[in-house]
Amino acid sequence: DIMMTQTPLSLSVTPGQPASISCKSSQSLLHSDGKTYLYWYLQKPGQSPQLLIYEVSRRFSGVPDRFSGSGSGTDFTLKISRVEAEDVGVYFCMQGIHLRTFGQGTKVEIK
Amino acid sequence: EVQLVESGGGLVQPGGSLRLSCAASGFTFSTSWMSWVRQAPGKGLEWVANIKEDGSAKFYVDSVKGRFTISRDNAKNSLYLQMNSLRVEDTAVYYCARDLAALVCWGQGTLVTVSS
């Protein structure tokens, strides 16, 4: 089974400042088809999760460009260039190369 | 508008059964993999199962194998999760999601509580 490890588990950020979340997988997420099956989701308070980033760095429809994803193989990062109040919630990474596994989640709050 | 609406949750005793449903609209259901994902109260997300477009392939997380069965009815644009031999640790909000490797759309979830 593929394990996903996120750090940190919580983050307090001043509005307008950047934020970064790390996600590490226990196995490479690079498939033989050339795609890397790593995704990022945000679950806002009281809501269902929503897709932010797919295949490491591709922003999903409607996602603001202050969100960016990077990484390769087993190490990945989600960055928010300038955190806004509406970005609070829990961020999850997920692997999709073998079944599906989520990271533990990173709770982001505003200072 | 893509929409997924779960139903069928409720309170059940340990060892009991429950069948969840997910009604899909706004996309071509019959050409999409579908997943169930759950979230225990105050906890993170756990993928439970997924099913191929035509129902010919099904995959499960180890903790539910042999107890849960995922199925679909493409004529009714509906996804199901039959849950048997329920345990206290199955208590969670259950979400259905359109699975394109990315889980691109999620329902609002239905709460399953397993308690005596």
Side-chain angles (χ1 to χ4, degrees):
Chain A
D1 293 359
I2 299 177
M3 303 286 290
M4 305 296 289
T5 303
Q6 285 181 236
T7 54
L9 298 184
S10 65
L11 207 47
S12 183
V13 187
T14 301
Q17 293 301 301
S20 179
I21 300 169
S22 171
C23 177
K24 297 183 188 298
S25 58
S26 59
Q27 300 176 32
S28 175
L29 303 185
L30 175 61
H31 194 274
S32 56
D33 64 6
K35 296 179 183 179
T36 300
Y37 288 80
L38 186 281
Y39 309 89
W40 290 97
Y41 300 86
L42 165 60
Q43 186 173 32
K44 296 182 178 181
Q47 296 185 18
S48 303
Q50 59 189 80
L51 177 65
L52 293 177
I53 302 286
Y54 65 99
E55 294 172 15
V56 180
S57 60
R58 299 172 183 263
R59 276 188 301 276
F60 190 54
S61 175
V63 175
D65 60 8
R66 64 179 180 273
F67 291 94
S68 64
S70 62
S72 63
T74 60
D75 288 359
F76 306 95
T77 302
L78 175 71
K79 292 183 179 177
I80 311 173
S81 59
R82 295 173 304 279
V83 173
E84 297 187 6
E86 65 181 25
D87 300 336
V88 298
V90 183
Y91 291 77
F92 296 93
C93 61
M94 185 197 84
Q95 66 82 15
I97 196 171
H98 175 66
L99 304 182
R100 312 280 181 261
T101 313
F102 291 92
Q104 314 97 301
T106 297
K107 185 174 185 178
V108 172
E109 62 176 21
I110 297 295
K111 279 185 182 174
Chain B
E1 178 194 5
V2 175
Q3 196 169 15
L4 296 169
V5 179
E6 302 92 338
S7 60
L11 175 63
V12 62
Q13 292 187 337
S17 298
L18 213 53
R19 189 195 196 208
L20 306 184
S21 299
C22 170
S25 60
F27 66 99
T28 307
F29 180 77
S30 61
T31 63
S32 184
W33 281 71
M34 297 295 295
S35 271
W36 287 100
V37 176
R38 67 184 178 182
Q39 186 170 36
K43 302 296 184 183
L45 300 171
E46 180 182 39
W47 175 82
V48 174
N50 67 357
I51 184 169
K52 195 177 178 182
E53 298 96 327
D54 61 359
S56 62
K58 305 174 185 182
F59 300 93
Y60 300 90
V61 68
D62 284 349
S63 59
V64 308
K65 280 181 185 175
R67 301 188 300 122
F68 289 13
T69 302
I70 189 172
S71 63
R72 64 192 298 159
D73 185 336
N74 287 343
K76 294 183 178 180
N77 287 345
S78 293
L79 176 72
Y80 306 102
L81 187 67
Q82 177 66 44
M83 305 185 294
N84 299 331
S85 302
L86 281 161
R87 305 167 180 168
V88 171
E89 55 265 34
D90 295 319
T91 294
V93 173
Y94 285 73
Y95 298 98
C96 65
R98 185 183 182 195
D99 188 344
L100 303 180
L103 303 179
V104 297
C105 178
W106 299 60
Q108 85 290 345
T110 187
L111 175 62
V112 173
T113 303
V114 185
S115 174
S116 53

